[in-house]
Amino acid sequence: MLALGSPNARFQPVYVGDVAHCFVHAIADDATIGQRYPLCGPKVYTLYELVRYVGEIAEAPRPVLTLGPALSRFQAFALEHLPGKLMTRDNLASMQRDSVCDCDFPAEFGIAPTALEAVAPTYLAPGAVRSSYDGYRATSGR
């Protein structure tokens, strides 16, 4: 079972390839100098939905126990004191604000944002091309 703090936090993940495309385009276009652009993916998800989706793709679904505000704070406090800091109280505080765009993907970049569902299986699913890197890491001697 997975205890999940701040399960209703909202995110709108954007594909790194789309961000890279926008950077390259912006470098070549003087009209983008001094401008800021909101870059978000095409769909909004809750943290709960993302965690469930990753479990499904990885073929490792787990029951998810959603935590309320008080238990979320306790979880963040405990996790920030463990090696690796999986979560901190600062992370929890930042999840109180939606990490989403309130507009469409900027048309000046000439692309539609890539859906999470189109790319996540290529690196999270068992047998995905990138999963072979685990074997290389295991035998690298590092």
Side-chain angles (χ1 to χ4, degrees):
M1 178 169 298
L2 176 67
L4 184 63
S6 200
N8 296 317
R10 295 176 59 221
F11 299 93
Q12 195 170 354
V14 62
Y15 175 50
V16 67
D18 293 344
V19 175
H21 170 87
C22 294
F23 269 87
V24 169
H25 180 88
I27 289 170
D29 184 356
D30 288 344
T32 63
I33 294 173
Q35 301 299 310
R36 291 189 284 173
Y37 297 95
L39 302 177
C40 288
K43 186 175 174 187
V44 175
Y45 305 86
T46 64
L47 181 58
Y48 176 82
E49 291 169 331
L50 289 170
V51 167
R52 295 289 302 221
Y53 180 62
V54 168
E56 290 169 18
I57 293 174
E59 295 181 7
R62 301 285 188 272
V64 178
L65 174 66
T66 59
L67 304 178
L71 286 176
S72 293
R73 283 190 297 279
F74 176 75
Q75 180 188 48
F77 175 80
L79 290 174
E80 78 180 20
H81 289 89
L82 295 176
K85 291 189 180 187
L86 295 174
M87 184 177 188
T88 67
R89 289 174 287 177
D90 187 51
N91 297 140
L92 182 66
S94 71
M95 288 191 290
Q96 303 311 304
R97 292 189 57 138
D98 290 342
S99 186
V100 301
C101 293
D102 59 358
C103 60
D104 293 330
F105 199 85
E108 51 264 61
F109 296 117
I111 62 170
T114 304
L116 174 69
E117 293 80 4
V119 291
T122 66
Y123 57 89
L124 291 175
V129 173
R130 289 189 171 92
S131 66
S132 63
Y133 297 144
D134 292 336
Y136 298 134
R137 287 184 197 101
T139 59
S140 70
R142 290 197 257 167

